[in-house]
């Protein structure tokens, strides 16, 4: 159902947001949402909808006006901007439609609890339907996202930009801000953020220094998303990883996960470990060369949360026990001039057909990508190779986060 309505001060088309309603045949719909932006504070107006003789009546609390549109045809009983209400089979989110998102920024995995994770995943499934729909979406029309990347990226930057455009928003981008921005002239991160926030509504930043995302969020008056900060964290990758596990395995409680590769410098595995600690009866195996073993802060955190973990040097044995084998690249860029240590670590643990033969039939192989030689190309043909599906899931998670941070639930 596509409908138009008039609302002063707004010009938007929104899908899968708004108040709930049920028509005379009992079919469930979601209504309409309008929002205003004031720095990091979002004044969200919620609509109350009811069906009568196939006409939807919406009352917006922001201005007290009642608006009407025809639910049978795509005709509006008035003039103005485009909004959209799509039908959905069910809506189980514990957060009210139109409610402000609980987080102002996405900086680290510790920010999320199970309820928020479940609700985000529900929105991500809605985003998947939008991406596959011929209608598309304009829920973020009028919004601008700045991608500020001080490190190289393909998947993360492009998936964020794709997510924003698929929701009707626009993108301002710089691929190598470390070299081709004013940072090369010595400008501080704080000054860059203060400048960029004047041009955009949300900032997605990747930086080579751990803790840079927190500094950016403390400076900005608009939402900041951490797209990776040095060896620190990569929370959106962790979100898409957990979302992928749930879709591939069918559950998040009671799983066994093998984290393999560069665990000392891998911000993806650090963030994933934090999120896995939210679930019950999870066991984690750490499989890594000595020079890149998982650091004690993560081990101590898992222990404090009652998560069982174990270190192993036998990938074959671990693979036979796990629901997920999560392989990572040995990151040459984190070794600096110690190329000898990099050479010592690389190539020690490789997922190949022999590892697949040891894995259970329901288990999957994941990887945050890019890969080098740590997963052989012959593994790609196995249905348990989930890493390209994993990368696609990143689009849905990032669509969900952009929508939530900018317009709410």
């Amino acid at each position: 159902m596509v409908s138009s309505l008039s609302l002063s001060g707004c010009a938007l088309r929104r899908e899968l947001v708004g108040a709930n309603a049920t028509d005379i045949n009992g079919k469930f719909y979601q209504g309409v949402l309008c929002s205003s932006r004031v720095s990091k504070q979002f004044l969200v107006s919620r609509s109350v909808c009811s069906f009568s003789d196939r006409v939807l009546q919406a009352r917006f609390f922001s201005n007290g006006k009642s608006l009407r549109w025809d639910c049978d045809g795509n005709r509006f009983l008035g003039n103005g901007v485009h909004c959209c209400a799509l039908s959905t089979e069910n809506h189980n989110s514990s957060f009210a439609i139109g409610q402000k998102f609980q987080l102002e920024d996405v900086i680290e995995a510790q920010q999320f609890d199970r309820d928020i994770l479940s609700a985000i995943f529900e929105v991500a499934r809605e985003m998947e339907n939008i991406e596959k729909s011929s209608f598309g979406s304009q829920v973020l029309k009028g919004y601008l996202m700045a991608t500020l990347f001080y490190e190289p990226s393909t998947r993360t930057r492009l998936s964020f930009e794709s997510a924003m455009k698929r929701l009707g928003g626009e993108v301002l981008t710089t691929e190598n801000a470390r070299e081709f921005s004013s940072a090369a002239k010595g400008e501080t991160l704080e000054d860059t953020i203060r400048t960029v926030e004047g041009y955009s509504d949300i900032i997605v930043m990747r930086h080579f220094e751990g803790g840079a995302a927190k500094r950016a969020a403390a400076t900005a008056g608009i939402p900041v998303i951490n797209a990776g900060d040095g060896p620190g964290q990569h929370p959106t990758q962790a979100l898409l990883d957990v979302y992928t596990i749930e879709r591939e395995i069918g559950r998040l409680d009671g799983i066994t996960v093998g984290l393999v590769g560069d665990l000392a410098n891998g911000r993806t595995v650090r963030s994933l470990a934090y999120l896995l600690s939210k679930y019950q009866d999870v066991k984690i195996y750490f499989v890594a060369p000595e020079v890149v073993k998982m650091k004690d802060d993560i081990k101590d955190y898992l222990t404090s949360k009652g998560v069982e973990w174990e270190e192993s040097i036998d990938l074959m044995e671990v693979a036979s026990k796990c629901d997920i084998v999560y392989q990572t690249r040995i990151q040459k860029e984190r070794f600096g001039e110690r190329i000898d240590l990099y050479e010592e670590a690389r190539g020690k643990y490789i997922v190949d057909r022999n590892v697949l033969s040891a894995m259970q039939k329901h288990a999957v192989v994941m990887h945050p990508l890019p890969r080098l030689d740590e997963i052989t190309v012959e593994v790609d043909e196995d249905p348990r190779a989930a890493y390209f599906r994993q990368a696609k899931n990143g689009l849905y998670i990032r669509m969900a986060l952009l929508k939530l941070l900018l317009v709410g639930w």
Side-chain angles (χ1 to χ4, degrees):
M1 180 184 73
V2 179
S3 306
S4 302
L5 57 88
S6 176
L7 187 63
S8 61
C10 294
L12 65 160
R13 173 186 169 91
R14 304 204 182 279
E15 275 91 357
L16 295 170
V17 289
N20 300 340
T22 305
D23 69 7
I24 55 176
N25 295 319
K27 191 172 185 178
F28 181 89
Y29 285 88
Q30 292 180 299
V32 184
L33 169 72
C34 179
S35 68
S36 301
R37 289 165 286 151
V38 182
S39 185
K40 283 187 179 177
Q41 303 301 316
F42 299 91
L43 306 177
V44 179
S45 59
R46 293 174 57 193
S47 59
V48 174
C49 305
S50 60
F51 280 88
S52 176
D53 297 326
R54 302 293 294 167
V55 174
L56 183 64
Q57 178 84 13
R59 180 176 179 84
F60 285 82
F61 295 147
S62 58
N63 57 20
K65 295 181 180 179
S66 293
L67 305 167
R68 294 162 60 84
W69 69 90
D70 188 347
C71 295
D72 264 336
N74 296 326
R75 297 162 297 160
F76 171 54
L77 309 178
N79 61 7
V81 299
H82 295 289
C83 293
C84 183
L86 298 182
S87 63
T88 182
E89 293 302 318
N90 54 57
H91 186 77
N92 298 319
S93 174
S94 58
F95 300 104
I97 296 292
Q99 179 181 336
K100 180 180 178 291
F101 190 43
Q102 284 69 18
L103 306 177
E104 291 185 340
D105 310 284
V106 174
I107 304 301
E108 58 185 9
Q110 298 95 305
Q111 292 175 271
F112 301 94
D113 60 29
R114 282 189 66 145
D115 288 342
I116 292 179
L117 289 171
S118 295
I120 290 172
F121 295 162
E122 184 177 330
V123 176
R125 285 188 284 272
E126 293 171 353
M127 295 300 110
E128 184 171 352
N129 291 333
I130 286 176
E131 189 262 341
K132 293 177 179 177
S133 164
S134 59
F135 295 106
S137 173
Q138 295 294 311
V139 68
L140 296 185
K141 181 170 180 162
Y143 290 93
L144 280 169
M145 177 186 74
T147 54
L148 195 59
F149 278 61
Y150 291 82
E151 282 189 332
S153 171
T154 302
R155 277 149 298 277
T156 302
R157 184 172 65 86
L158 292 182
S159 67
F160 266 113
E161 293 179 6
S162 176
M164 191 67 176
K165 288 179 176 291
R166 287 181 182 278
L167 293 176
E170 297 294 333
V171 174
L172 306 172
T173 186
T174 175
E175 184 174 359
N176 188 353
R178 188 174 188 175
E179 183 176 352
F180 297 114
S181 76
S182 292
K185 303 174 183 178
E187 183 177 55
T188 66
L189 174 63
E190 286 76 9
D191 282 1
T192 299
I193 294 298
R194 290 187 184 100
T195 302
V196 173
E197 73 171 326
Y199 309 146
S200 57
D201 302 297
I202 189 168
I203 296 172
V204 178
M205 189 182 79
R206 169 168 289 186
H207 204 277
F208 51 89
E209 292 181 356
K214 284 186 178 180
R215 288 169 53 199
T219 302
I222 61 176
V224 172
I225 299 179
N226 180 7
D229 57 338
Q233 285 210 41
H234 196 346
T236 67
Q237 178 70 47
L239 288 170
L240 75 90
D241 289 343
V242 175
Y243 182 66
T244 299
I245 292 170
E246 183 180 55
R247 291 179 68 87
E248 296 285 334
I249 304 300
R251 68 184 191 280
L252 291 166
D253 292 318
I255 60 173
T256 303
V257 182
L259 301 181
V260 186
D262 190 345
L263 307 186
N265 302 307
R267 56 195 173 203
T268 61
V269 288
R270 291 174 58 82
S271 295
L272 179 56
Y274 281 122
L275 285 193
L276 290 176
S277 72
K278 311 293 182 185
Y279 299 94
Q280 298 178 348
D281 300 321
V282 171
K283 180 166 184 178
I284 300 177
Y285 287 95
F286 299 128
V287 183
E290 185 67 28
V291 294
V292 287
K293 292 174 63 175
M294 181 60 80
K295 294 179 180 178
D296 288 340
D297 64 329
I298 296 296
K299 298 174 188 175
D300 293 342
Y301 181 86
L302 293 174
T303 299
S304 72
K305 297 298 181 181
V307 178
E308 185 180 356
W309 58 269
E310 182 179 327
E311 291 185 303
S312 175
I313 60 172
D314 190 338
L315 176 57
M316 293 289 286
E317 181 183 5
V318 168
S320 70
K321 299 176 180 179
C322 288
D323 302 294
I324 301 97
V325 174
Y326 191 101
Q327 176 71 289
T328 65
R329 173 177 63 92
I330 303 297
Q331 301 178 69
K332 185 177 182 179
E333 64 270 24
R334 306 295 178 205
F335 286 83
E337 297 180 356
R338 294 302 306 272
I339 301 301
D340 58 322
L341 295 180
Y342 169 71
E343 293 296 338
E344 180 183 338
R346 71 185 295 261
K348 188 166 185 178
Y349 295 110
I350 296 176
V351 175
D352 55 17
R353 282 180 177 169
N354 290 329
V355 174
L356 286 176
S357 67
M359 290 174 57
Q360 301 173 71
K361 291 188 180 300
H362 75 277
V364 295
V365 179
M366 295 174 60
H367 193 302
L369 302 177
R371 67 170 168 184
L372 298 180
D373 55 1
E374 63 275 3
I375 299 179
T376 61
V377 293
E378 62 192 7
V379 175
D380 299 353
E381 301 173 1
D382 194 289
R384 292 170 293 178
Y387 29 89
F388 293 116
R389 298 191 294 273
Q390 178 186 354
K392 184 62 182 284
N393 287 336
L395 172 65
Y396 310 133
I397 287 292
R398 287 161 180 146
M399 288 173 70
L401 288 176
L402 290 171
K403 182 259 180 183
L404 290 170
L405 285 165
L406 288 170
V407 302
W409 292 103

